[in-house]
Amino acid sequence: MNMQQTTGYDLSALRASFPGWAFFRSDTGAFYATRRGVQLNDAELGAGLQQTVSADDADTFVALLHEQRLRGRSCGHANA
């Protein structure tokens, strides 16, 4: 399996859709994304923003990224 393309999700497309995140997959196939060049403060963490998100499947992973985008926008985070 191509590491850039996984069951309907192209990591390159995710990178384009979520440019503030760095993406990778573990050896076991779990998806990870961590914020690029951003260190969240206590208030942002308290508002539900996460520095790194992970999931075992692509659908859950994408849902988490969308949730982080919405949470970031609602608390004024510029690089949601």
Side-chain angles (χ1 to χ4, degrees):
M1 177 183 291
N2 180 345
M3 290 301 285
Q4 294 300 307
Q5 179 108 24
T6 58
T7 319
Y9 289 96
D10 180 343
L11 291 181
S12 296
L14 287 175
R15 287 181 182 104
S17 295
F18 300 94
W21 295 84
F23 293 88
F24 58 98
R25 290 201 58 201
S26 72
D27 292 341
T28 62
F31 294 86
Y32 288 86
T34 191
R35 294 180 188 272
R36 290 180 184 263
V38 173
Q39 184 64 42
L40 299 176
N41 62 39
D42 288 340
E44 291 167 326
L45 293 169
L49 293 178
Q50 297 177 359
Q51 193 69 42
T52 300
V53 296
S54 67
D56 291 330
D57 64 89
D59 290 333
T60 302
F61 183 62
V62 171
L64 288 170
L65 290 167
H66 282 294
E67 177 188 336
Q68 286 295 296
R69 178 180 278 166
L70 291 173
R71 285 181 185 270
R73 288 179 180 164
S74 70
C75 71
H77 195 273
N79 199 12

